[in-house]
Structures are given as structure tokens and as C-alpha cells.
PDB file of all heavy atoms in Angstrom:
ATOM      1  N   VAL A  27     -63.831  72.073-161.060  1.00  0.00           N
ATOM      2  CA  VAL A  27     -63.419  71.723-159.691  1.00  0.00           C
ATOM      3  C   VAL A  27     -64.651  71.899-158.793  1.00  0.00           C
ATOM      4  O   VAL A  27     -65.287  72.935-158.793  1.00  0.00           O
ATOM      5  CB  VAL A  27     -62.284  72.536-159.160  1.00  0.00           C
ATOM      6  CG1 VAL A  27     -60.954  72.116-159.858  1.00  0.00           C
ATOM      7  CG2 VAL A  27     -62.456  74.024-159.406  1.00  0.00           C
ATOM      8  N   MET A  28     -65.001  70.853-158.031  1.00  0.00           N
ATOM      9  CA  MET A  28     -66.335  70.828-157.366  1.00  0.00           C
ATOM     10  C   MET A  28     -66.348  71.313-155.971  1.00  0.00           C
ATOM     11  O   MET A  28     -67.379  71.348-155.305  1.00  0.00           O
ATOM     12  CB  MET A  28     -66.845  69.387-157.409  1.00  0.00           C
ATOM     13  CG  MET A  28     -66.877  68.761-158.799  1.00  0.00           C
ATOM     14  SD  MET A  28     -67.619  69.842-160.097  1.00  0.00           S
ATOM     15  CE  MET A  28     -69.320  69.811-159.548  1.00  0.00           C
ATOM     16  N   SER A  29     -65.161  71.696-155.453  1.00  0.00           N
ATOM     17  CA  SER A  29     -65.135  72.236-154.077  1.00  0.00           C
ATOM     18  C   SER A  29     -63.865  73.098-153.963  1.00  0.00           C
ATOM     19  O   SER A  29     -62.944  73.019-154.787  1.00  0.00           O
ATOM     20  CB  SER A  29     -65.023  71.111-153.031  1.00  0.00           C
ATOM     21  OG  SER A  29     -63.803  70.384-153.153  1.00  0.00           O
ATOM     22  N   ALA A  30     -63.846  73.979-152.897  1.00  0.00           N
ATOM     23  CA  ALA A  30     -62.688  74.825-152.666  1.00  0.00           C
ATOM     24  C   ALA A  30     -61.491  73.982-152.354  1.00  0.00           C
ATOM     25  O   ALA A  30     -60.359  74.325-152.766  1.00  0.00           O
ATOM     26  CB  ALA A  30     -63.009  75.766-151.500  1.00  0.00           C
ATOM     27  N   GLU A  31     -61.671  72.855-151.666  1.00  0.00           N
ATOM     28  CA  GLU A  31     -60.520  71.949-151.337  1.00  0.00           C
ATOM     29  C   GLU A  31     -59.933  71.343-152.627  1.00  0.00           C
ATOM     30  O   GLU A  31     -58.720  71.273-152.725  1.00  0.00           O
ATOM     31  CB  GLU A  31     -60.999  70.870-150.375  1.00  0.00           C
ATOM     32  CG  GLU A  31     -61.233  71.347-148.962  1.00  0.00           C
ATOM     33  CD  GLU A  31     -60.005  72.004-148.378  1.00  0.00           C
ATOM     34  OE1 GLU A  31     -58.879  71.466-148.565  1.00  0.00           O
ATOM     35  OE2 GLU A  31     -60.156  73.063-147.736  1.00  0.00           O
ATOM     36  N   GLU A  32     -60.810  70.901-153.513  1.00  0.00           N
ATOM     37  CA  GLU A  32     -60.325  70.336-154.771  1.00  0.00           C
ATOM     38  C   GLU A  32     -59.603  71.477-155.583  1.00  0.00           C
ATOM     39  O   GLU A  32     -58.543  71.196-156.217  1.00  0.00           O
ATOM     40  CB  GLU A  32     -61.493  69.814-155.607  1.00  0.00           C
ATOM     41  CG  GLU A  32     -61.012  69.116-156.896  1.00  0.00           C
ATOM     42  CD  GLU A  32     -62.212  68.603-157.744  1.00  0.00           C
ATOM     43  OE1 GLU A  32     -63.348  68.607-157.238  1.00  0.00           O
ATOM     44  OE2 GLU A  32     -61.960  68.235-158.925  1.00  0.00           O
ATOM     45  N   ALA A  33     -60.094  72.681-155.549  1.00  0.00           N
ATOM     46  CA  ALA A  33     -59.459  73.781-156.216  1.00  0.00           C
ATOM     47  C   ALA A  33     -58.070  74.038-155.670  1.00  0.00           C
ATOM     48  O   ALA A  33     -57.128  74.327-156.388  1.00  0.00           O
ATOM     49  CB  ALA A  33     -60.306  75.031-156.153  1.00  0.00           C
ATOM     50  N   LYS A  34     -57.936  73.986-154.337  1.00  0.00           N
ATOM     51  CA  LYS A  34     -56.648  74.213-153.709  1.00  0.00           C
ATOM     52  C   LYS A  34     -55.597  73.162-154.119  1.00  0.00           C
ATOM     53  O   LYS A  34     -54.468  73.476-154.455  1.00  0.00           O
ATOM     54  CB  LYS A  34     -56.796  74.191-152.194  1.00  0.00           C
ATOM     55  CG  LYS A  34     -57.482  75.446-151.634  1.00  0.00           C
ATOM     56  CD  LYS A  34     -57.590  75.398-150.131  1.00  0.00           C
ATOM     57  CE  LYS A  34     -58.300  76.572-149.523  1.00  0.00           C
ATOM     58  NZ  LYS A  34     -58.444  76.455-148.044  1.00  0.00           N
ATOM     59  N   ARG A  35     -56.031  71.947-154.162  1.00  0.00           N
ATOM     60  CA  ARG A  35     -55.074  70.804-154.573  1.00  0.00           C
ATOM     61  C   ARG A  35     -54.652  71.046-156.026  1.00  0.00           C
ATOM     62  O   ARG A  35     -53.505  70.842-156.390  1.00  0.00           O
ATOM     63  CB  ARG A  35     -55.748  69.492-154.395  1.00  0.00           C
ATOM     64  CG  ARG A  35     -55.994  69.094-152.942  1.00  0.00           C
ATOM     65  CD  ARG A  35     -56.329  67.627-152.785  1.00  0.00           C
ATOM     66  NE  ARG A  35     -57.634  67.284-153.459  1.00  0.00           N
ATOM     67  CZ  ARG A  35     -58.758  67.347-152.886  1.00  0.00           C
ATOM     68  NH1 ARG A  35     -58.890  67.747-151.570  1.00  0.00           N
ATOM     69  NH2 ARG A  35     -59.877  67.023-153.530  1.00  0.00           N
ATOM     70  N   ALA A  36     -55.651  71.392-156.846  1.00  0.00           N
ATOM     71  CA  ALA A  36     -55.319  71.589-158.288  1.00  0.00           C
ATOM     72  C   ALA A  36     -54.400  72.815-158.468  1.00  0.00           C
ATOM     73  O   ALA A  36     -53.476  72.798-159.273  1.00  0.00           O
ATOM     74  CB  ALA A  36     -56.613  71.802-159.063  1.00  0.00           C
ATOM     75  N   ALA A  37     -54.652  73.886-157.687  1.00  0.00           N
ATOM     76  CA  ALA A  37     -53.857  75.075-157.747  1.00  0.00           C
ATOM     77  C   ALA A  37     -52.422  74.829-157.385  1.00  0.00           C
ATOM     78  O   ALA A  37     -51.495  75.380-157.969  1.00  0.00           O
ATOM     79  CB  ALA A  37     -54.453  76.159-156.854  1.00  0.00           C
ATOM     80  N   ASP A  38     -52.185  73.969-156.420  1.00  0.00           N
ATOM     81  CA  ASP A  38     -50.839  73.603-156.035  1.00  0.00           C
ATOM     82  C   ASP A  38     -50.078  72.952-157.182  1.00  0.00           C
ATOM     83  O   ASP A  38     -48.902  73.114-157.308  1.00  0.00           O
ATOM     84  CB  ASP A  38     -50.858  72.696-154.766  1.00  0.00           C
ATOM     85  CG  ASP A  38     -51.275  73.445-153.507  1.00  0.00           C
ATOM     86  OD1 ASP A  38     -51.165  74.687-153.487  1.00  0.00           O
ATOM     87  OD2 ASP A  38     -51.780  72.806-152.564  1.00  0.00           O
ATOM     88  N   ARG A  39     -50.809  72.131-157.969  1.00  0.00           N
ATOM     89  CA  ARG A  39     -50.196  71.464-159.094  1.00  0.00           C
ATOM     90  C   ARG A  39     -49.859  72.405-160.246  1.00  0.00           C
ATOM     91  O   ARG A  39     -48.800  72.341-160.823  1.00  0.00           O
ATOM     92  CB  ARG A  39     -51.078  70.325-159.624  1.00  0.00           C
ATOM     93  CG  ARG A  39     -51.309  69.172-158.643  1.00  0.00           C
ATOM     94  CD  ARG A  39     -51.925  67.987-159.421  1.00  0.00           C
ATOM     95  NE  ARG A  39     -53.207  68.305-160.069  1.00  0.00           N
ATOM     96  CZ  ARG A  39     -54.369  68.196-159.416  1.00  0.00           C
ATOM     97  NH1 ARG A  39     -54.452  67.800-158.201  1.00  0.00           N
ATOM     98  NH2 ARG A  39     -55.512  68.517-160.108  1.00  0.00           N
ATOM     99  N   ILE A  40     -50.838  73.365-160.483  1.00  0.00           N
ATOM    100  CA  ILE A  40     -50.694  74.290-161.593  1.00  0.00           C
ATOM    101  C   ILE A  40     -49.631  75.332-161.271  1.00  0.00           C
ATOM    102  O   ILE A  40     -48.839  75.720-162.103  1.00  0.00           O
ATOM    103  CB  ILE A  40     -52.023  74.916-161.957  1.00  0.00           C
ATOM    104  CG1 ILE A  40     -53.018  73.855-162.424  1.00  0.00           C
ATOM    105  CG2 ILE A  40     -51.850  76.011-163.038  1.00  0.00           C
ATOM    106  CD1 ILE A  40     -54.446  74.363-162.604  1.00  0.00           C
ATOM    107  N   GLY A  41     -49.740  75.860-160.001  1.00  0.00           N
ATOM    108  CA  GLY A  41     -48.875  76.966-159.577  1.00  0.00           C
ATOM    109  C   GLY A  41     -49.564  78.310-159.732  1.00  0.00           C
ATOM    110  O   GLY A  41     -50.356  78.563-160.633  1.00  0.00           O
ATOM    111  N   TYR A  42     -49.256  79.222-158.813  1.00  0.00           N
ATOM    112  CA  TYR A  42     -49.811  80.589-158.841  1.00  0.00           C
ATOM    113  C   TYR A  42     -48.888  81.526-159.622  1.00  0.00           C
ATOM    114  O   TYR A  42     -47.699  81.237-159.731  1.00  0.00           O
ATOM    115  CB  TYR A  42     -49.945  81.059-157.368  1.00  0.00           C
ATOM    116  CG  TYR A  42     -50.957  80.324-156.553  1.00  0.00           C
ATOM    117  CD1 TYR A  42     -50.545  79.164-155.849  1.00  0.00           C
ATOM    118  CD2 TYR A  42     -52.291  80.695-156.502  1.00  0.00           C
ATOM    119  CE1 TYR A  42     -51.498  78.434-155.084  1.00  0.00           C
ATOM    120  CE2 TYR A  42     -53.201  80.005-155.742  1.00  0.00           C
ATOM    121  CZ  TYR A  42     -52.802  78.846-155.030  1.00  0.00           C
ATOM    122  OH  TYR A  42     -53.721  78.193-154.299  1.00  0.00           O
ATOM    123  N   PRO A  43     -49.434  82.599-160.151  1.00  0.00           N
ATOM    124  CA  PRO A  43     -50.856  83.049-160.150  1.00  0.00           C
ATOM    125  C   PRO A  43     -51.656  82.206-161.166  1.00  0.00           C
ATOM    126  O   PRO A  43     -51.113  81.597-162.072  1.00  0.00           O
ATOM    127  CB  PRO A  43     -50.809  84.483-160.571  1.00  0.00           C
ATOM    128  CG  PRO A  43     -49.591  84.588-161.402  1.00  0.00           C
ATOM    129  CD  PRO A  43     -48.591  83.625-160.788  1.00  0.00           C
ATOM    130  N   LEU A  44     -52.979  82.182-160.981  1.00  0.00           N
ATOM    131  CA  LEU A  44     -53.869  81.394-161.851  1.00  0.00           C
ATOM    132  C   LEU A  44     -55.221  82.117-161.923  1.00  0.00           C
ATOM    133  O   LEU A  44     -55.541  83.036-161.198  1.00  0.00           O
ATOM    134  CB  LEU A  44     -54.039  79.964-161.367  1.00  0.00           C
ATOM    135  CG  LEU A  44     -54.375  79.709-159.939  1.00  0.00           C
ATOM    136  CD1 LEU A  44     -55.882  79.849-159.658  1.00  0.00           C
ATOM    137  CD2 LEU A  44     -53.971  78.322-159.509  1.00  0.00           C
ATOM    138  N   MET A  45     -56.023  81.671-162.976  1.00  0.00           N
ATOM    139  CA  MET A  45     -57.318  82.186-163.194  1.00  0.00           C
ATOM    140  C   MET A  45     -58.391  81.210-162.728  1.00  0.00           C
ATOM    141  O   MET A  45     -58.236  80.027-163.025  1.00  0.00           O
ATOM    142  CB  MET A  45     -57.523  82.576-164.656  1.00  0.00           C
ATOM    143  CG  MET A  45     -56.562  83.596-165.202  1.00  0.00           C
ATOM    144  SD  MET A  45     -56.744  85.220-164.426  1.00  0.00           S
ATOM    145  CE  MET A  45     -58.333  85.732-165.068  1.00  0.00           C
ATOM    146  N   LEU A  46     -59.431  81.724-162.114  1.00  0.00           N
ATOM    147  CA  LEU A  46     -60.614  80.908-161.746  1.00  0.00           C
ATOM    148  C   LEU A  46     -61.697  81.384-162.680  1.00  0.00           C
ATOM    149  O   LEU A  46     -62.027  82.591-162.742  1.00  0.00           O
ATOM    150  CB  LEU A  46     -60.953  81.190-160.286  1.00  0.00           C
ATOM    151  CG  LEU A  46     -62.043  80.345-159.620  1.00  0.00           C
ATOM    152  CD1 LEU A  46     -61.646  78.907-159.597  1.00  0.00           C
ATOM    153  CD2 LEU A  46     -62.314  80.869-158.217  1.00  0.00           C
ATOM    154  N   LYS A  47     -62.298  80.408-163.471  1.00  0.00           N
ATOM    155  CA  LYS A  47     -63.260  80.835-164.533  1.00  0.00           C
ATOM    156  C   LYS A  47     -64.504  79.970-164.515  1.00  0.00           C
ATOM    157  O   LYS A  47     -64.429  78.775-164.146  1.00  0.00           O
ATOM    158  CB  LYS A  47     -62.584  80.711-165.922  1.00  0.00           C
ATOM    159  CG  LYS A  47     -61.469  81.721-166.169  1.00  0.00           C
ATOM    160  CD  LYS A  47     -61.034  81.664-167.620  1.00  0.00           C
ATOM    161  CE  LYS A  47     -60.107  82.769-167.977  1.00  0.00           C
ATOM    162  NZ  LYS A  47     -59.717  82.700-169.414  1.00  0.00           N
ATOM    163  N   ALA A  48     -65.611  80.578-164.932  1.00  0.00           N
ATOM    164  CA  ALA A  48     -66.846  79.863-165.069  1.00  0.00           C
ATOM    165  C   ALA A  48     -66.751  78.892-166.225  1.00  0.00           C
ATOM    166  O   ALA A  48     -66.281  79.250-167.317  1.00  0.00           O
ATOM    167  CB  ALA A  48     -68.011  80.804-165.235  1.00  0.00           C
ATOM    168  N   CYS A  49     -67.272  77.649-166.081  1.00  0.00           N
ATOM    169  CA  CYS A  49     -67.274  76.695-167.148  1.00  0.00           C
ATOM    170  C   CYS A  49     -68.243  77.046-168.256  1.00  0.00           C
ATOM    171  O   CYS A  49     -68.093  76.742-169.405  1.00  0.00           O
ATOM    172  CB  CYS A  49     -67.640  75.324-166.621  1.00  0.00           C
ATOM    173  SG  CYS A  49     -66.370  74.497-165.637  1.00  0.00           S
ATOM    174  N   ALA A  50     -69.332  77.745-167.875  1.00  0.00           N
ATOM    175  CA  ALA A  50     -70.340  78.184-168.836  1.00  0.00           C
ATOM    176  C   ALA A  50     -70.328  79.680-168.942  1.00  0.00           C
ATOM    177  O   ALA A  50     -69.783  80.363-168.129  1.00  0.00           O
ATOM    178  CB  ALA A  50     -71.752  77.679-168.386  1.00  0.00           C
ATOM    179  N   GLY A  51     -70.928  80.205-170.069  1.00  0.00           N
ATOM    180  CA  GLY A  51     -71.106  81.607-170.190  1.00  0.00           C
ATOM    181  C   GLY A  51     -69.882  82.290-170.683  1.00  0.00           C
ATOM    182  O   GLY A  51     -68.988  81.737-171.237  1.00  0.00           O
ATOM    183  N   GLY A  52     -69.858  83.650-170.498  1.00  0.00           N
ATOM    184  CA  GLY A  52     -68.744  84.509-170.934  1.00  0.00           C
ATOM    185  C   GLY A  52     -68.991  85.916-170.533  1.00  0.00           C
ATOM    186  O   GLY A  52     -69.678  86.189-169.549  1.00  0.00           O
ATOM    187  N   GLY A  53     -68.398  86.837-171.337  1.00  0.00           N
ATOM    188  CA  GLY A  53     -68.618  88.265-171.010  1.00  0.00           C
ATOM    189  C   GLY A  53     -67.858  88.699-169.800  1.00  0.00           C
ATOM    190  O   GLY A  53     -68.225  89.743-169.198  1.00  0.00           O
ATOM    191  N   GLY A  54     -66.853  87.933-169.344  1.00  0.00           N
ATOM    192  CA  GLY A  54     -66.125  88.405-168.173  1.00  0.00           C
ATOM    193  C   GLY A  54     -66.720  88.053-166.849  1.00  0.00           C
ATOM    194  O   GLY A  54     -66.167  88.421-165.780  1.00  0.00           O
ATOM    195  N   ARG A  55     -67.844  87.337-166.857  1.00  0.00           N
ATOM    196  CA  ARG A  55     -68.524  86.964-165.589  1.00  0.00           C
ATOM    197  C   ARG A  55     -67.938  85.710-165.022  1.00  0.00           C
ATOM    198  O   ARG A  55     -67.575  84.787-165.693  1.00  0.00           O
ATOM    199  CB  ARG A  55     -70.008  86.776-165.844  1.00  0.00           C
ATOM    200  CG  ARG A  55     -70.704  87.924-166.513  1.00  0.00           C
ATOM    201  CD  ARG A  55     -70.805  89.153-165.650  1.00  0.00           C
ATOM    202  NE  ARG A  55     -71.599  88.926-164.451  1.00  0.00           N
ATOM    203  CZ  ARG A  55     -72.948  89.032-164.469  1.00  0.00           C
ATOM    204  NH1 ARG A  55     -73.569  89.344-165.537  1.00  0.00           N
ATOM    205  NH2 ARG A  55     -73.582  88.865-163.339  1.00  0.00           N
ATOM    206  N   GLY A  56     -67.837  85.662-163.699  1.00  0.00           N
ATOM    207  CA  GLY A  56     -67.351  84.458-163.002  1.00  0.00           C
ATOM    208  C   GLY A  56     -65.886  84.236-163.153  1.00  0.00           C
ATOM    209  O   GLY A  56     -65.419  83.070-163.113  1.00  0.00           O
ATOM    210  N   ILE A  57     -65.119  85.274-163.330  1.00  0.00           N
ATOM    211  CA  ILE A  57     -63.672  85.185-163.490  1.00  0.00           C
ATOM    212  C   ILE A  57     -62.967  85.901-162.324  1.00  0.00           C
ATOM    213  O   ILE A  57     -63.328  86.979-161.924  1.00  0.00           O
ATOM    214  CB  ILE A  57     -63.198  85.864-164.807  1.00  0.00           C
ATOM    215  CG1 ILE A  57     -63.811  85.105-165.986  1.00  0.00           C
ATOM    216  CG2 ILE A  57     -61.654  85.856-164.916  1.00  0.00           C
ATOM    217  CD1 ILE A  57     -63.475  85.723-167.340  1.00  0.00           C
ATOM    218  N   ARG A  58     -61.949  85.212-161.795  1.00  0.00           N
ATOM    219  CA  ARG A  58     -61.101  85.792-160.710  1.00  0.00           C
ATOM    220  C   ARG A  58     -59.655  85.483-160.924  1.00  0.00           C
ATOM    221  O   ARG A  58     -59.267  84.379-161.337  1.00  0.00           O
ATOM    222  CB  ARG A  58     -61.534  85.205-159.327  1.00  0.00           C
ATOM    223  CG  ARG A  58     -62.957  85.418-158.925  1.00  0.00           C
ATOM    224  CD  ARG A  58     -63.195  86.896-158.586  1.00  0.00           C
ATOM    225  NE  ARG A  58     -64.489  87.121-158.021  1.00  0.00           N
ATOM    226  CZ  ARG A  58     -65.658  87.183-158.674  1.00  0.00           C
ATOM    227  NH1 ARG A  58     -65.606  87.088-160.023  1.00  0.00           N
ATOM    228  NH2 ARG A  58     -66.779  87.417-158.075  1.00  0.00           N
ATOM    229  N   LEU A  59     -58.782  86.447-160.665  1.00  0.00           N
ATOM    230  CA  LEU A  59     -57.337  86.224-160.679  1.00  0.00           C
ATOM    231  C   LEU A  59     -56.829  85.918-159.272  1.00  0.00           C
ATOM    232  O   LEU A  59     -57.123  86.736-158.341  1.00  0.00           O
ATOM    233  CB  LEU A  59     -56.612  87.473-161.239  1.00  0.00           C
ATOM    234  CG  LEU A  59     -55.092  87.496-161.169  1.00  0.00           C
ATOM    235  CD1 LEU A  59     -54.507  86.328-161.943  1.00  0.00           C
ATOM    236  CD2 LEU A  59     -54.537  88.802-161.676  1.00  0.00           C
ATOM    237  N   ILE A  60     -56.204  84.789-159.105  1.00  0.00           N
ATOM    238  CA  ILE A  60     -55.760  84.330-157.802  1.00  0.00           C
ATOM    239  C   ILE A  60     -54.258  84.367-157.723  1.00  0.00           C
ATOM    240  O   ILE A  60     -53.545  83.712-158.537  1.00  0.00           O
ATOM    241  CB  ILE A  60     -56.257  82.929-157.519  1.00  0.00           C
ATOM    242  CG1 ILE A  60     -57.809  82.779-157.853  1.00  0.00           C
ATOM    243  CG2 ILE A  60     -55.984  82.537-156.045  1.00  0.00           C
ATOM    244  CD1 ILE A  60     -58.689  83.634-157.037  1.00  0.00           C
ATOM    245  N   HIS A  61     -53.711  85.097-156.754  1.00  0.00           N
ATOM    246  CA  HIS A  61     -52.244  85.195-156.610  1.00  0.00           C
ATOM    247  C   HIS A  61     -51.655  84.255-155.592  1.00  0.00           C
ATOM    248  O   HIS A  61     -50.473  83.898-155.710  1.00  0.00           O
ATOM    249  CB  HIS A  61     -51.862  86.650-156.207  1.00  0.00           C
ATOM    250  CG  HIS A  61     -52.103  87.671-157.319  1.00  0.00           C
ATOM    251  ND1 HIS A  61     -53.283  88.421-157.366  1.00  0.00           N
ATOM    252  CD2 HIS A  61     -51.342  88.049-158.344  1.00  0.00           C
ATOM    253  CE1 HIS A  61     -53.180  89.229-158.415  1.00  0.00           C
ATOM    254  NE2 HIS A  61     -52.033  89.015-159.016  1.00  0.00           N
ATOM    255  N   SER A  62     -52.459  83.809-154.673  1.00  0.00           N
ATOM    256  CA  SER A  62     -51.935  82.969-153.536  1.00  0.00           C
ATOM    257  C   SER A  62     -53.013  82.108-152.950  1.00  0.00           C
ATOM    258  O   SER A  62     -54.200  82.360-153.174  1.00  0.00           O
ATOM    259  CB  SER A  62     -51.376  83.870-152.434  1.00  0.00           C
ATOM    260  OG  SER A  62     -52.418  84.588-151.798  1.00  0.00           O
ATOM    261  N   PRO A  63     -52.639  80.999-152.233  1.00  0.00           N
ATOM    262  CA  PRO A  63     -53.600  80.128-151.651  1.00  0.00           C
ATOM    263  C   PRO A  63     -54.624  80.824-150.730  1.00  0.00           C
ATOM    264  O   PRO A  63     -55.772  80.427-150.610  1.00  0.00           O
ATOM    265  CB  PRO A  63     -52.756  79.122-150.867  1.00  0.00           C
ATOM    266  CG  PRO A  63     -51.475  79.156-151.520  1.00  0.00           C
ATOM    267  CD  PRO A  63     -51.230  80.542-151.993  1.00  0.00           C
ATOM    268  N   ASP A  64     -54.138  81.909-150.077  1.00  0.00           N
ATOM    269  CA  ASP A  64     -55.057  82.652-149.150  1.00  0.00           C
ATOM    270  C   ASP A  64     -56.254  83.272-149.836  1.00  0.00           C
ATOM    271  O   ASP A  64     -57.323  83.470-149.230  1.00  0.00           O
ATOM    272  CB  ASP A  64     -54.251  83.760-148.427  1.00  0.00           C
ATOM    273  CG  ASP A  64     -53.169  83.212-147.561  1.00  0.00           C
ATOM    274  OD1 ASP A  64     -53.253  82.069-147.168  1.00  0.00           O
ATOM    275  OD2 ASP A  64     -52.207  84.013-147.254  1.00  0.00           O
ATOM    276  N   GLU A  65     -56.124  83.562-151.112  1.00  0.00           N
ATOM    277  CA  GLU A  65     -57.168  84.247-151.876  1.00  0.00           C
ATOM    278  C   GLU A  65     -58.209  83.231-152.502  1.00  0.00           C
ATOM    279  O   GLU A  65     -59.248  83.637-152.942  1.00  0.00           O
ATOM    280  CB  GLU A  65     -56.610  85.069-153.003  1.00  0.00           C
ATOM    281  CG  GLU A  65     -55.657  86.154-152.578  1.00  0.00           C
ATOM    282  CD  GLU A  65     -55.057  86.892-153.781  1.00  0.00           C
ATOM    283  OE1 GLU A  65     -55.511  86.619-154.875  1.00  0.00           O
ATOM    284  OE2 GLU A  65     -54.133  87.690-153.542  1.00  0.00           O
ATOM    285  N   LEU A  66     -57.820  81.951-152.489  1.00  0.00           N
ATOM    286  CA  LEU A  66     -58.606  80.994-153.307  1.00  0.00           C
ATOM    287  C   LEU A  66     -59.956  80.700-152.765  1.00  0.00           C
ATOM    288  O   LEU A  66     -60.954  80.694-153.495  1.00  0.00           O
ATOM    289  CB  LEU A  66     -57.816  79.703-153.454  1.00  0.00           C
ATOM    290  CG  LEU A  66     -58.428  78.691-154.401  1.00  0.00           C
ATOM    291  CD1 LEU A  66     -58.644  79.302-155.797  1.00  0.00           C
ATOM    292  CD2 LEU A  66     -57.483  77.466-154.539  1.00  0.00           C
ATOM    293  N   GLU A  67     -60.113  80.431-151.462  1.00  0.00           N
ATOM    294  CA  GLU A  67     -61.390  79.935-150.931  1.00  0.00           C
ATOM    295  C   GLU A  67     -62.528  80.997-151.161  1.00  0.00           C
ATOM    296  O   GLU A  67     -63.562  80.687-151.652  1.00  0.00           O
ATOM    297  CB  GLU A  67     -61.300  79.583-149.502  1.00  0.00           C
ATOM    298  CG  GLU A  67     -62.574  78.971-148.911  1.00  0.00           C
ATOM    299  CD  GLU A  67     -62.395  78.357-147.572  1.00  0.00           C
ATOM    300  OE1 GLU A  67     -61.235  78.268-147.093  1.00  0.00           O
ATOM    301  OE2 GLU A  67     -63.395  77.860-146.982  1.00  0.00           O
ATOM    302  N   ASP A  68     -62.295  82.228-150.703  1.00  0.00           N
ATOM    303  CA  ASP A  68     -63.325  83.269-150.857  1.00  0.00           C
ATOM    304  C   ASP A  68     -63.655  83.534-152.307  1.00  0.00           C
ATOM    305  O   ASP A  68     -64.851  83.695-152.679  1.00  0.00           O
ATOM    306  CB  ASP A  68     -62.862  84.620-150.180  1.00  0.00           C
ATOM    307  CG  ASP A  68     -62.903  84.491-148.672  1.00  0.00           C
ATOM    308  OD1 ASP A  68     -63.562  83.559-148.153  1.00  0.00           O
ATOM    309  OD2 ASP A  68     -62.319  85.363-147.991  1.00  0.00           O
ATOM    310  N   ASN A  69     -62.635  83.540-153.176  1.00  0.00           N
ATOM    311  CA  ASN A  69     -62.834  83.820-154.582  1.00  0.00           C
ATOM    312  C   ASN A  69     -63.581  82.617-155.248  1.00  0.00           C
ATOM    313  O   ASN A  69     -64.342  82.841-156.186  1.00  0.00           O
ATOM    314  CB  ASN A  69     -61.534  84.116-155.277  1.00  0.00           C
ATOM    315  CG  ASN A  69     -61.060  85.554-155.118  1.00  0.00           C
ATOM    316  OD1 ASN A  69     -61.636  86.403-155.743  1.00  0.00           O
ATOM    317  ND2 ASN A  69     -60.117  85.726-154.257  1.00  0.00           N
TER     318      ASN A  69
END
């Protein structure tokens, strides 16, 4: 997802809670648990 706005639209389709993850790498980096729309933009 290339922007916070695109992420919000996708999150509405998937439903909360959801995980925000890095496309590359691993080791737990770039991962966030999102419970509500209010948390999405900053995360």
C-alpha cells in the first residue's frame, strides 16, 4: 500500500484488527498491530 489513505481504504475492506508489515526483510522489524482507524496513519 503506497500511502496512508490507500492503507485506510484497504483496512476498511479487511476489517480490524490487522497487521501492518514490511514487504521486505524480517526479524520483527517494520511490524505494527492496528486495532482501529485512528491508529493507522501514525503507525
